[in-house]
Amino acid sequence: MQTAVLACCVAAAHSMKMPAVSPTGVANQIWDWRGYQVRYQALGEEGDGPAVLLVHGLFVNADHWRNNLPALAAAGFRTYAIDLLGSGYSSKPSPTSAAARAISGENGRVLGAPMMEIGSAAGEPLPPRPVPLAHPVEGSVYNFYTWGEQLADFTQEVIGAESATLVANSIGSISALQAAVDRPELFDGVFVVNPNFRELHAAEQPPLLRPLVVPLVSAVQKALRDNGQPLFDSLAKPGIVKQILAEPYADAAQVAES
């Protein structure tokens, strides 16, 4: 299964220089995308087998798939793993800079759009309720539309496949699903592994608690956006990152130093 990689998680936090070869033993490659650098890895790309694109979740990167990448390649697949923009060794533009706003997939899609009725992702028998579609930070490049476009462009420009299968973990599953919705002709399937359903999203809050929970969550998120850098700096240390990563893994030994 997937493996958390401590060294590269800390690298993501501190924007460390990308090594030629990942700690997983796979060569790191760079794809230029909309003026930014995107790190990816590939095995079996010279073959003619089906294409698979592996999409990581929150706090990790392409090295998350270090066990899956060679196994899939050995089985005859052309296998790729990518760092989403803002993660791992990919570029990390300021979320609301002019350059970042210019490439945001959200632009022209939902900003200023009306509220949309959606149901509960948890499958509970709750009535749909209106939720805003736009990112809370207007123009932020870090949204599922942007990442979805990144995955679609990578599939078209780098993989060059008539179709590819997306394999996505955690919050990466939302980006993968968005890519498939936007560009269905590029993908023949999406396999989600432990998908994240954004439990803090307004749509997931019980109706009776929503008037209290939603403003509280929004206030905390805004405080972290405005003044969260010192907290981030205090947490972006190998020991703390390792402890955090050990929480979601049944096999804590998979949280390796390299």
Side-chain angles (χ1 to χ4, degrees):
M1 235 11 224
Q2 312 94 294
T3 305
V5 182
L6 177 59
C8 283
C9 192
V10 176
H14 292 288
S15 299
M16 292 170 59
K17 183 179 179 180
M18 186 188 77
V21 178
S22 165
T24 65
V26 181
N28 289 319
Q29 302 185 60
I30 288 294
W31 169 52
D32 290 322
W33 182 65
R34 301 183 181 181
Y36 294 102
Q37 292 191 328
V38 170
R39 186 274 288 256
Y40 73 96
Q41 300 172 347
L43 288 177
E45 57 187 326
E46 301 302 327
D48 57 3
V52 177
L53 176 55
L54 306 171
V55 186
H56 64 81
L58 190 64
F59 299 140
V60 288
N61 49 70
D63 291 335
H64 190 65
W65 304 99
R66 66 181 184 183
N67 291 336
N68 308 83
L69 193 69
L72 287 168
F77 292 92
R78 289 178 291 142
T79 313
Y80 301 79
I82 192 173
D83 283 354
L84 294 174
L85 192 71
S87 300
Y89 291 110
S90 288
S91 296
K92 302 169 182 63
S94 174
T96 56
S97 64
R101 287 177 187 271
I103 73 162
S104 174
E106 192 174 58
N107 289 336
R109 288 221 246 184
V110 300
L111 293 181
M115 308 274 272
M116 181 179 184
E117 298 280 342
I118 66 174
S120 170
E124 300 175 25
L126 300 174
R129 76 270 350 225
V131 295
L133 295 180
H135 193 288
V137 179
E138 185 175 339
S140 173
V141 70
Y142 300 118
N143 59 69
F144 298 114
Y145 297 106
T146 304
W147 289 320
E149 291 180 2
Q150 179 187 348
L151 296 175
D153 288 349
F154 182 86
T155 300
Q156 186 172 37
E157 297 176 16
V158 179
I159 299 178
E162 292 184 2
S163 64
T165 297
L166 291 163
V167 177
N169 172 239
S170 186
I171 206 166
S173 61
I174 306 177
S175 301
L177 291 168
Q178 187 65 54
V181 167
D182 289 345
R183 302 289 301 279
E185 74 279 6
L186 291 176
F187 306 104
D188 54 19
V190 181
F191 184 83
V192 296
V193 183
N194 295 329
N196 180 289
F197 288 121
R198 304 175 72 185
E199 289 84 354
L200 292 179
H201 195 284
E204 296 303 305
Q205 306 310 317
L208 293 178
L209 295 179
R210 191 165 178 262
L212 173 65
V213 173
V214 172
L216 178 61
V217 170
S218 297
V220 171
Q221 291 174 332
K222 184 178 187 304
L224 290 174
R225 286 194 296 269
D226 294 343
N227 304 292
Q229 190 64 46
L231 176 62
F232 176 82
D233 292 340
S234 69
L235 294 176
K237 295 178 172 57
I240 296 176
V241 172
K242 186 173 185 178
Q243 182 179 352
I244 293 172
L245 288 175
E247 292 292 329
Y249 289 89
D251 182 4
Q254 295 302 311
V255 183
E257 297 292 339
S258 61

